[in-house]
Amino acid sequence: MSVSIDLSSKTALVMGVANARSLGWAIAQQLLAAGCRVGFSYQGERLKGELDKLLAGHENVWTQQADATSEDDLGALFSRVKDEFGGLDYLVHSIAFAPRPAMDGRFLDTTEADWNTALNVSAYTLVSTCRHAESLLRPGGSVISLTYHASQKVVPRYNVMGVAKAALEATTRYLASEMGAAGVRVNTISAGPMRTIAARSIPGFGTMYEKAAEAAPLGRNATPDEVGKLALFLLSDLGSGLTGQTVYVDAGSSIMAMKAEG
């Protein structure tokens, strides 16, 4: 069974696509397939070539470099959104970062600088991008970001990024409470372990990935395609009654306290 979604009259900005394995790209693919006009932001010229390859052959797309921690870059980015689209229906925030030393060592040894970097990039940028987008988002608009269950349970070596994801989820609720009056919804997707480039840099990720699949009720991990489909639901009118929520797509692994034997 499939549901046909026509987004040919809609516009979206997808922030943070780094390569073909990015969950932001899995979401963008669903939007593009539904006919949505999509703009993309990327951080640093080193990522431009990869994004250009992904977008080859796609119509109604554009790209712009933007560091989400820079007010000047955000101002220029949303000025481009206004010029290209006039307004905005969907905003996809697929941005997170913590310095490697903060994930290699003990959480107790997290430095102030690494803490501030992780919280700023991974959580505060959702606030700043929504502030810049606010005047452009149309009634019925929708914002989504990406989180992970380490916000609720301890995942070894996830460290300060788990705290950043908890902050992101709280941020989602506060933004939803304020932006709802304008008819804009804000949600975050909690994806299970995915073989993204960023995730595979986490110490011990391979073991974590395998154990999550073993524990999941569905006996596997969720896929990027399933993340994209959930995002399409949340962004479109199909998700019109949901806001301020952390929605899981993880094959059920987050509900399990332990794996039953036999």
Side-chain angles (χ1 to χ4, degrees):
M1 179 180 177
S2 63
V3 177
S4 178
I5 299 177
D6 181 6
L7 300 182
S8 57
S9 64
K10 303 296 185 181
T11 62
L13 175 66
V14 178
M15 304 179 69
V17 172
N19 51 58
R21 294 194 177 194
S22 297
L23 294 184
W25 177 241
I27 296 169
Q29 285 180 295
Q30 295 292 330
L31 291 170
L32 291 168
C36 189
R37 292 179 290 159
V38 185
F40 293 82
S41 72
Y42 58 91
Q43 183 181 24
E45 289 302 313
R46 65 184 180 84
L47 298 176
K48 185 179 188 302
E50 186 69 22
L51 186 55
D52 286 345
K53 290 178 185 177
L54 293 175
L55 296 178
H58 288 286
E59 299 179 350
N60 298 318
V61 298
W62 54 267
T63 67
Q64 180 156 320
Q65 190 279 333
D67 180 347
T69 66
S70 166
E71 285 291 317
D72 288 343
D73 280 13
L74 288 178
L77 174 64
F78 284 95
S79 178
R80 177 79 180 275
V81 170
K82 184 176 181 179
D83 290 343
E84 294 280 353
F85 296 150
L88 190 64
D89 295 294
Y90 310 133
L91 174 62
V92 178
H93 177 282
S94 179
I95 299 169
F97 174 75
R100 182 63 185 257
M103 303 181 79
D104 278 338
R106 301 189 307 163
F107 176 72
L108 194 63
D109 294 327
T110 305
T111 66
E112 180 181 7
D114 287 352
W115 173 283
N116 289 341
T117 295
L119 272 288
N120 185 27
V121 175
S122 308
Y124 177 70
T125 57
L126 180 61
V127 179
S128 55
T129 55
C130 282
R131 184 171 60 249
H132 281 270
E134 183 179 19
S135 64
L136 297 173
L137 283 164
R138 301 183 178 102
S142 184
V143 179
I144 58 170
S145 61
L146 293 162
T147 186
Y148 177 53
H149 193 51
S151 63
Q152 305 298 315
K153 302 288 185 180
V154 174
V155 173
R157 298 297 183 89
Y158 210 72
N159 292 0
V160 71
M161 185 58 78
V163 176
K165 292 301 187 184
L168 181 73
E169 292 172 18
T171 296
T172 296
R173 293 188 288 272
Y174 277 89
L175 289 173
S177 73
E178 292 188 351
M179 300 181 78
V184 175
R185 297 177 292 111
V186 187
N187 294 288
T188 188
I189 294 174
S190 187
M194 302 275 163
R195 293 190 183 277
T196 63
I197 298 300
R200 292 177 69 179
S201 68
I202 299 170
F205 173 79
T207 299
M208 179 176 70
Y209 185 84
E210 293 172 1
K211 288 186 177 295
E214 292 171 0
L218 294 183
R220 62 175 178 84
N221 286 306
T223 67
D225 185 59
E226 289 169 329
V227 174
K229 289 176 180 177
L230 175 58
L232 185 63
F233 168 81
L234 291 172
L235 290 169
S236 74
D237 288 344
L238 292 176
S240 60
L242 281 78
T243 195
Q245 301 302 309
T246 298
V247 186
Y248 282 77
V249 54
D250 63 356
S253 62
S254 59
I255 71 170
M256 302 300 295
M258 63 185 68
K259 179 73 173 178
E261 298 294 335

